[in-house]
Amino acid sequence: MRQLLLFTTVLCLAIDGTKAQSPSTADARHLLYYERYDGAATELQSILTTDPGNSEAWWLLTETYLNRHQPAPITIPAPAAEQPTGLCARGFIFLYNHKKDSAASCFSKALTATKEKDPVILLAVAHAHNMSDSGDAHYALELLTKAIKKDKHNPELYVEMGDSYRRLEDGGNAFRAYHDALTEDAKYAKAMYKSGKIFVSQNNSEQYLQYFNDAVAADTSYAPAWYELYYHWYFRDVNKAMDDLKHYTANDDPGIRNDYLVTDMLYSSAKYADAVQKRSSCSASHAGATEPRLYKLIAYSYKELHDSAKALDYMQQYFNKQKDTSFVEKDFETMGDIYASLNHPDSATKYYAQAALLQKDTLQRYAFAKKLADGYKKQKDYANQAIWLGKYYNGNTKATNLDLFNWGLAHYMAKDYPMADSVFAMYETKYPDQDFGYYWRARADVAIDTAMTTGMAIPQYMKLIDICTKDTTNKTNRKHLIESYGYIAAYRANAQKDYEGAIEYFGKLLALDPGNTDAEHYIAILKKNPEKSRSTTTHSTAAGGEWAPNSHKIHPFHHI
């Protein structure tokens, strides 16, 4: 629970002396029973305007604020602050703020003043302990036991006792206490609702649905039970959820939060135009009020309506209004999708990357990695494409040989040839009967060994030859063989000075490509003047002859 702030300034209360038709604390208690905290606050503030010494109203106002987990902007004036209920209010605030000693002092004075015989005060102190992190549920049970002896037929006391047991994680005794409340009042909806909440914690939908339905059957105005029914069906049946939500909002205090829930249901029901219209009515009804999530719901709706410009406008408003800690993965993904639809791949990938960081589901992480890789490819940012393809491939049981190939190719396009060599080495190992790993690993090795001194590409070209010679009618095989023979011939001539070997491989090249003038030219030179052929071949290789390793364009393959 958030820290409660105590203000040093007393509320300014205008006293007009008129009490005709004024609200009562009984009305406020009635609203608190239904968890209508906004309405209760309005009633109590009205009471205190005309009766600032009403200690009961101060207690109920304190309870109202703390039930909403909001800082209570109150300092109770004397003499109300020294009345038993005023002391309970002050003690509640202290306990909520983890000031146990100050709280104990206030509660002790209240209990002493009533000789621990007033069930209202006993209940108030017990409730404060049940509601506060610093509270003592065992002590609350002691107080409630005394209160029940004084007021045996009050169902509220039994419900509070059930709350104490729930805080102690004693579901059995909590359930019995709630049923004791129903023994005193068979239509006490709050007790049915609390019983249902026990089964929510156990994920027993059959039981909790029974109790929530019983609660609204006993009292159709009991909004908390309607909310639980709506929440249950939200993930299962949008039509039932919408019906329960209508009951809930009809019996709850009106406000922008409930308008958000309705808008959310309209979006979830694929009624996108209705969701947009609901946003307009929200703006008119709650001028100045803000619920940042409304903006993203409207953005989602415009996105589904294929109006990317308006979707972007509302998402930007949402990001400006929402706290950074409240953003979820879908917020960033939606921004990425919108920017992608507007053909802004750089912005799209930025938001997709943020979404990926928040994604915990493994399959979704892979999906984001693929989406990011595709985005970087469109930007021709091959280095980042390679990074995300690696994230997509590693550990992904659904990744294919094409994904592995694309990963290696991205490294090659980024001119990260050592990494390309490593990835295509993986391809060789995993798919030894396919030529693509050998071919592209050879291309990467050629790019590394630009001076043709180590011959690191030779083993890959030799393996490529073994595979491609099995079917020389295949156009791709013939291309790979011509390149392999040309590179090996150049390596034999330049690095190994094996001119006869070079002539042999140029001959194999000519067998596949008759009339290749470059090959014929180099054979002639090698045969005529072996000593001169070395320097001539070196010069021709550098100049980009047909058989030179760097003379060929990269031919991407669209299938494997």
Side-chain angles (χ1 to χ4, degrees), residues 238 411 463 470 481:
V238 293
H411 279 299
K463 291 175 183 176
K470 294 176 182 178
L481 284 169

Side-chain angles (χ1 to χ4, degrees), residues 257-401:
R257 172 184 173 274
N258 287 347
D259 285 335
Y260 166 79
L261 296 177
V262 174
T263 306
D264 179 52
M265 278 305 308
L266 291 170
Y267 170 77
S268 299
S269 304
K271 297 177 180 178
Y272 307 120
D274 291 341
V276 169
Q277 180 59 39
K278 182 64 178 176
R279 170 70 184 97
S280 299
S281 65
C282 291
S283 297
S285 302
H286 309 293
T290 181
E291 170 50 78
R293 293 177 299 171
L294 267 174
Y295 291 91
K296 76 172 177 179
L297 280 178
I298 303 308
Y300 291 173
S301 298
Y302 274 123
K303 177 174 175 283
E304 295 298 332
L305 293 169
H306 307 292
D307 190 337
S308 297
K310 287 185 178 178
L312 179 60
D313 177 45
Y314 275 92
M315 278 304 291
Q316 288 174 333
Q317 291 186 67
Y318 167 66
F319 271 90
N320 288 333
K321 295 175 185 294
Q322 184 61 280
K323 295 179 180 177
D324 290 346
T325 55
S326 299
F327 293 131
V328 296
E329 165 265 318
K330 188 177 180 181
D331 298 336
F332 296 105
E333 181 183 13
T334 299
M335 281 294 269
D337 289 343
I338 293 170
Y339 274 118
S341 69
L342 292 170
N343 198 27
H344 294 301
D346 52 342
S347 296
T349 50
K350 168 190 169 184
Y351 282 100
Y352 286 146
Q354 289 176 287
L357 291 174
L358 294 176
Q359 181 55 251
K360 296 180 180 179
D361 180 79
T362 301
L363 291 178
Q364 286 298 316
R365 283 203 304 271
Y366 288 137
F368 272 122
K370 190 67 161 54
K371 190 177 288 188
L372 279 159
D374 291 343
Y376 282 119
K377 181 180 180 181
K378 290 178 181 178
Q379 299 175 58
K380 297 185 179 180
D381 184 346
Y382 301 115
N384 273 312
Q385 181 197 8
I387 289 172
W388 288 100
L389 283 174
K391 292 179 184 293
Y392 177 76
Y393 185 83
N394 285 314
N396 186 355
T397 57
K398 294 186 177 181
T400 66
N401 61 335

Side-chain angles (χ1 to χ4, degrees), residues 412-539:
Y412 185 90
M413 295 294 290
K415 299 184 179 180
D416 187 351
Y417 302 120
M419 279 301 301
D421 174 83
S422 297
V423 175
F424 285 121
M426 291 170 58
Y427 197 104
E428 287 180 351
T429 301
K430 198 162 186 178
Y431 306 102
D433 296 330
Q434 295 184 17
D435 61 345
F436 299 105
Y438 304 113
Y439 176 73
W440 284 98
R441 189 180 182 192
R443 297 299 298 265
D445 293 346
V446 167
I448 295 171
D449 184 21
T450 56
M452 201 184 291
T453 55
T454 65
M456 63 185 299
I458 296 299
Q460 322 314 323
Y461 278 128
M462 294 301 291
K463 291 175 183 176
L464 189 62
I465 290 170
D466 289 340
I467 293 174
C468 293
T469 50
K470 294 176 182 178
D471 182 7
T472 58
T473 62
N474 180 279
K475 184 177 180 180
T476 300
N477 285 356
R478 289 172 64 85
K479 171 190 175 297
H480 288 177
L481 284 169
I482 289 170
E483 181 173 329
S484 300
Y485 291 147
Y487 186 88
I488 294 171
Y491 180 73
R492 292 263 177 121
N494 296 333
Q496 295 183 322
K497 302 179 182 64
D498 179 4
Y499 307 124
E500 290 184 3
I503 291 171
E504 177 188 353
Y505 274 95
F506 277 131
K508 292 181 178 183
L509 189 157
L510 283 170
L512 289 174
D513 187 18
N516 186 304
T517 56
D518 287 321
E520 291 173 346
H521 175 66
Y522 297 132
I523 289 174
I525 292 174
L526 289 167
K527 286 183 175 179
K528 182 177 180 182
N529 190 344
E531 285 302 317
K532 183 180 178 182
S533 68
R534 182 174 63 83
S535 59
T536 304
T537 305
T538 303
H539 172 75

Side-chain angles (χ1 to χ4, degrees), residues 73-93:
I74 56 176
T75 300
I76 303 171
E82 294 302 321
Q83 295 297 316
T85 46
L87 287 165
C88 288
R90 290 168 58 199
F92 195 175
I93 294 171

Side-chain angles (χ1 to χ4, degrees), residues 225-243:
W226 283 119
Y227 180 86
E228 292 295 333
L229 289 168
Y230 143 75
Y231 188 76
H232 168 83
W233 291 115
Y234 179 90
F235 300 100
R236 299 166 176 85
D237 187 324
V238 293
N239 293 321
K240 287 184 178 180
M242 179 61 87
D243 186 59

